[in-house]
Amino acid sequence: MKLTRFIQKLILWELLVGMMVVIRNQFRPKVTVQYPKERIPLRPRFRGVPRLRYDPKTMEELCISCLLCEQICPDDCIAIKWEKAPSGKGRVLKDFIIDYQRCCLCGLCVDPCPTKPLTAIYMSHDYELAGSDRLDLVAGRTDLHEGRTVTIYDK
Amino acid sequence: MFRTQEMEINMGPQHPSTHGVLRLKLRLDGERVVDSWPVIGYLHRGIEKLSESKEFIKITPFTDRMDYVCAMSGNLAYLGAVEKLCGIKVPEKAAYIRVIMVELNRIASHLLWLGTHALDIGAMSIFLYGFREREMILDLFEAYCGARLTYNAFRISGVPADLPPGWKEECTGFLKLFRQRHREYEQILTANRIWLKRTKDVGYMDAEHCLALSVTGPVLRAAGVARDLRKDEPYAIYDQLDFDIPVDDGCDTYARYIVRMAEMLQSVHMVEQCLEKMPSEGPLMGMKGRRMKPRKDEEIYFAIEGPRGEQGVYLISDGTDRPYRCKFRNSSFANLQALAPMVQGGLVADVVAIIGTLDIVLGDSDR
Ligand code: SF4
Ligand code: SF4
């Protein structure tokens, strides 16, 4: 027992075992992703920046300006402008602004949204948020529906 | 003719081995550390004060940003406190999902600790392997809640969503793979003579001093005290799970390494049990609506066992839907107090190993 331990120590046994692990790992598939060229596929529940959607059937505004998302947002980054509907019932959305600089992508705004079956506000799969100006990151109603235009770096 | 003199130098806040923005003032006598003062606060965001002006539900995203390496524990500690304050019961299925997430996050957190700690000491490859496996856990989290770091995965009284289809199988596959990979980490480090030289008898702190400084978590358990809130004061469904608490009485950096490595396997074991025992049907939220009505002048303290130690939340309510006072007892801040006595008299190179072994997250200690 003592002798084996001595020999193991002499031939740097534990370092060899460790080295074997490293060598074995050389032949495993690569996991590194070259980011701007390749992208990892996103999971369906991925939370990117929040956006608005139209009713997919009628292509009308889904949001009913109930202001629940504005109230629940912990960073106060949603601002909604609305008017009384001409028919006297309900509200008409005038403008919807989300300040992406402040948004922490928490997803709380989606929880209380009352429209069924799809929520008017949803967490999109957009995650590239760079801008050269502060105002670039303040998304108005068109941006929220169509997505922000980003310049893709492809050099 | 020649004269020696003690020198005061700064380590950090931009030093890569201080794991964030810790600044250490060191007084050195040659290579020996005579004295040290940790300077914190570079990441202070005033979360406690900010919380007083927000409704209970809005504070959850902030708890993600305190201990960002183990955000699920932060969520669980805070929500547990709110549920205790308002007397809300969490449905069983939701409790199981919470425990699965928290234990997976503990593995991820320990993997990050293992990688960076070994990297600081000079082992490069284990860093890459650890992060490779951590990435898989983050993928699981992304599939469940949509975020990879700041999860905000739980809500007051439950969880917002069930596990997605195929998640259980993916998780089981990962756990199986992880057991193999864990053996590989052990092969690289546990008997490695360089690792032993750098960690044995470095950062010695015995149980008495640990308790005096209210150090908790793996650092305390590596000093021979089997204190673990999951066993001592079970919350969620921990009393239904079968697990051990790894304890070692080496009191040094190597003992902490052994304890944390064993803890990872225990977490794997727990997640396996949870996946098996979890009821397939059942409610996910314990209450309807989101109006909170805590009693007036109620004070509660609720603590869970995070990967770094006791993670507690102290809430005072004044009867409204906002906390009157919200205090976070974070383990990094308490554990950081052990740094100065540990490095005293040691070498400068060991300071790096000791910062690593305490496993501090500066977002957690500064809040
Ligand atoms: S994701 Fe969170 S921070 Fe962003 S808009 Fe929604 S509620 Fe506000
Ligand atoms: S919660 Fe939904 S319906 Fe209400 S204002 Fe926000 S987006 Fe519109």
Side-chain angles (χ1 to χ4, degrees):
Chain A
M1 206 54 223
K2 235 180 183 167
L3 189 69
T4 28
R5 205 168 298 152
F6 179 72
I7 294 173
Q8 277 185 355
K9 214 163 186 179
L10 203 67
I11 62 170
L12 304 174
W13 177 247
E14 85 284 348
L15 292 185
L16 288 176
V17 172
M19 225 32 224
M20 277 310 293
V21 173
V22 176
I23 291 168
R24 214 179 312 143
N25 273 297
Q26 299 295 317
F27 298 104
R28 293 219 170 110
K30 273 201 195 102
V31 290
T32 315
V33 175
Q34 300 298 336
Y35 161 57
K37 296 205 184 85
E38 305 162 27
R39 273 144 215 268
I40 303 176
L42 298 176
R43 305 301 179 103
R45 287 189 188 169
F46 181 80
R47 295 203 312 245
V49 289
R51 274 173 55 184
L52 286 181
R53 64 179 143 209
Y54 295 117
D55 191 332
K57 282 198 211 94
T58 56
M59 294 311 280
E60 276 172 16
E61 190 72 68
L62 258 181
C63 174
I64 53 165
S65 317
C66 67
L67 309 187
L68 282 178
C69 55
E70 191 184 21
Q71 279 163 18
I72 206 169
C73 176
D75 299 331
D76 303 333
C77 58
I78 302 181
I80 298 170
K81 228 165 121 190
W82 56 274
E83 265 178 10
K84 273 253 159 63
S87 63
K89 227 173 91 195
R91 295 166 173 176
V92 182
L93 185 68
K94 280 279 146 208
D95 206 353
F96 199 113
I97 300 167
I98 298 185
D99 188 350
Y100 285 157
Q101 291 172 82
R102 306 176 68 166
C103 173
C104 66
L105 311 182
C106 62
L108 282 180
C109 48
V110 180
D111 283 2
C113 188
T115 57
K116 296 256 160 44
L118 287 172
T119 51
I121 191 167
Y122 71 106
M123 302 306 278
S124 67
H125 283 192
D126 309 349
Y127 56 91
E128 278 143 333
L129 279 180
S132 53
D133 193 330
R134 274 171 184 262
L135 279 181
D136 277 0
L137 289 168
V138 179
R141 202 168 155 190
T142 26
D143 282 348
L144 290 174
H145 275 302
E146 269 120 51
R148 286 173 61 242
T149 40
V150 276
T151 330
I152 304 280
Y153 177 82
D154 53 0
K155 298 235 172 60
Chain B
M1 206 161 59
F2 295 114
R3 163 173 92 78
T4 60
Q5 143 182 14
E6 288 178 352
M7 186 168 63
E8 247 180 51
I9 63 160
N10 264 321
M11 186 171 164
Q14 281 93 8
H15 196 283
S17 77
T18 53
H19 296 205
V21 282
L22 172 67
R23 175 173 155 223
L24 266 184
K25 278 203 290 182
L26 299 172
R27 181 178 293 150
L28 302 178
D29 173 14
E31 276 282 300
R32 297 257 158 214
V33 179
V34 180
D35 224 339
S36 67
W37 300 269
V39 184
I40 60 166
Y42 290 91
L43 218 53
H44 178 69
R45 289 147 297 173
I47 288 178
E48 286 177 4
K49 190 69 194 163
L50 188 61
S51 304
E52 289 169 17
S53 63
K54 303 267 175 196
E55 282 91 340
F56 283 112
I57 188 165
K58 292 187 185 177
I59 302 170
T60 345
F62 301 149
T63 60
D64 287 335
R65 278 142 186 96
M66 289 189 310
D67 184 353
Y68 41 77
V69 180
C70 193
M72 295 274 186
S73 290
N75 287 176
L76 182 63
Y78 170 70
L79 292 181
V82 174
E83 280 151 11
K84 191 172 167 189
L85 182 73
C86 305
I88 301 168
K89 270 205 89 60
V90 182
E92 197 184 2
K93 180 159 191 194
Y96 270 103
I97 294 180
R98 284 180 175 190
V99 169
I100 292 175
M101 295 301 157
V102 168
E103 289 306 319
L104 280 177
N105 210 179
R106 187 187 312 272
I107 302 175
S109 165
H110 280 355
L111 279 176
L112 188 130
W113 155 81
L114 178 70
T116 50
H117 180 39
L119 183 69
D120 291 346
I121 292 183
M124 181 84 196
S125 32
I126 193 94
F127 169 72
L128 300 171
Y129 303 157
F131 269 66
R132 181 184 58 195
E133 269 73 79
R134 179 171 177 263
E135 195 66 22
M136 294 171 150
I137 302 182
L138 298 191
D139 280 344
L140 285 171
F141 289 155
E142 187 187 328
Y144 170 65
C145 68
R148 299 173 68 85
L149 193 72
T150 47
Y151 312 110
N152 189 22
F154 313 137
R155 302 283 186 271
I156 296 173
S157 87
V159 290
D162 197 357
L163 299 175
W167 197 90
K168 267 188 185 179
E169 291 72 38
E170 196 184 340
C171 186
T172 325
F174 165 75
L175 295 176
K176 221 167 120 209
L177 181 81
F178 183 74
R179 277 188 197 273
Q180 274 172 27
R181 297 284 162 86
H182 187 274
R183 215 169 303 135
E184 290 190 354
Y185 309 150
E186 296 242 19
Q187 279 171 350
I188 295 181
L189 290 179
T190 306
N192 189 313
R193 61 190 70 183
I194 308 167
W195 181 255
L196 284 170
K197 277 244 163 68
R198 288 300 309 272
T199 54
K200 274 253 177 207
D201 295 325
V202 170
Y204 185 89
M205 177 166 274
D206 57 16
E208 196 183 323
H209 283 89
C210 280
L211 290 173
L213 291 169
S214 64
V215 170
T216 47
V219 183
L220 181 63
R221 289 194 284 276
V225 184
R227 167 90 174 143
D228 190 317
L229 291 175
R230 286 172 293 173
K231 266 270 196 275
D232 297 348
E233 297 162 25
Y235 48 91
I237 45 126
Y238 280 105
D239 45 355
Q240 296 168 32
L241 301 180
D242 159 52
F243 61 100
D244 298 328
I245 300 169
V247 180
D248 197 295
D249 44 17
C251 305
D252 56 4
T253 305
Y254 186 70
R256 284 165 216 139
Y257 159 77
I258 297 286
V259 166
R260 287 201 179 100
M261 291 302 268
E263 258 178 33
M264 279 197 247
L265 283 186
Q266 288 301 325
S267 293
V268 171
H269 185 47
M270 272 185 248
V271 176
E272 280 168 351
Q273 287 176 51
C274 284
L275 285 175
E276 209 174 278
K277 284 188 187 172
M278 190 170 81
S280 54
E281 294 293 316
L284 293 169
M285 294 285 271
M287 74 174 195
K288 294 223 166 62
R290 40 184 76 74
R291 279 266 162 256
M292 314 288 306
K293 280 197 198 66
R295 251 174 295 145
K296 208 169 179 301
D297 298 328
E298 187 118 310
E299 292 181 27
I300 58 110
Y301 177 73
F302 179 78
I304 68 162
E305 186 73 29
R308 275 156 264 284
E310 181 176 334
Q311 219 164 358
V313 178
Y314 176 66
L315 286 176
I316 305 181
S317 91
D318 55 358
T320 61
D321 57 355
R322 292 155 207 237
Y324 176 73
R325 174 86 170 93
C326 183
K327 156 98 181 104
F328 296 100
R329 188 261 184 224
N330 283 359
S331 31
S332 292
F333 181 75
N335 290 6
L336 193 60
Q337 313 310 315
L339 184 73
M342 274 186 191
V343 299
Q344 200 163 28
L347 297 171
V348 179
D350 291 340
V351 175
V352 174
I354 292 168
I355 295 174
T357 191
L358 285 175
D359 192 19
I360 39 177
V361 171
L362 267 297
D364 195 19
S365 79
D366 293 353
R367 316 199 260 292

